[in-house]
């Protein structure tokens, strides 16, 4: 994903915005995109969490919408991961009343 910032009349503000964007990207590492509402497999939330844990964290975003119905608990998050969803009107993660959805702990 590429971000384009255009600000021809305020070059100093533009430079500050670019530095902030670079710092945020470095702070959260790699980017993972959830492209399916399937419980597992390539492009799933589960796989994104596994990948983020294995590679030292990152940011998980969603291009998929609907309900992700979990067949088992998601893996515990063991790294610094930001999860940025499209909102409750577009995406739901359901444990179907039997599976925990997220385990969040502080270090």
């Amino acid at each position: 994903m590429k971000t384009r910032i255009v600000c021809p009349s305020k070059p100093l503000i533009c430079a500050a915005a670019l530095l902030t964007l670079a710092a945020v990207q470095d702070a959260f590492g790699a980017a993972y995109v959830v492209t399916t509402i399937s419980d597992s497999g390539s492009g799933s939330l589960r796989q994104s969490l596994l990948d983020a844990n294995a590679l030292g964290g990152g940011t998980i975003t969603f291009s998929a919408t609907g309900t992700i119905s979990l067949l088992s608990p998601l893996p515990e998050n063991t790294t610094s991961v930001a999860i940025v969803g499209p909102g409750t009107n577009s995406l739901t993660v359901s444990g179907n009343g039997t599976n925990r959805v997220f385990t969040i702990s502080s270090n």
Side-chain angles (χ1 to χ4, degrees):
M1 174 190 318
K2 292 184 178 181
T3 302
R4 183 175 179 206
I5 299 175
V6 178
C7 45
S9 63
K10 305 278 186 196
L12 290 177
I13 293 173
C14 185
L18 287 172
L19 289 173
T20 302
L21 183 62
V24 168
Q25 180 64 27
D26 287 343
F28 287 110
Y32 309 94
V33 180
V34 177
T35 59
T36 180
I37 59 171
S38 296
D39 176 61
S40 62
S42 179
S44 68
L45 174 59
R46 183 178 305 279
Q47 189 61 54
S48 294
L49 283 169
L50 290 169
D51 292 346
N53 282 338
L55 298 173
T59 300
I60 298 173
T61 59
F62 296 81
S63 67
T65 58
T67 299
I68 299 172
S69 295
L70 302 177
L71 302 176
S72 62
L74 287 171
E76 184 174 346
N77 179 39
T78 60
T79 60
S80 179
V81 176
I83 300 174
V84 182
T88 57
N89 291 333
S90 299
L91 181 74
T92 302
V93 180
S94 172
N96 297 308
T98 58
N99 296 303
R100 91 180 132 65
V101 176
F102 294 106
T103 300
I104 301 169
S105 59
S106 62
N107 294 335

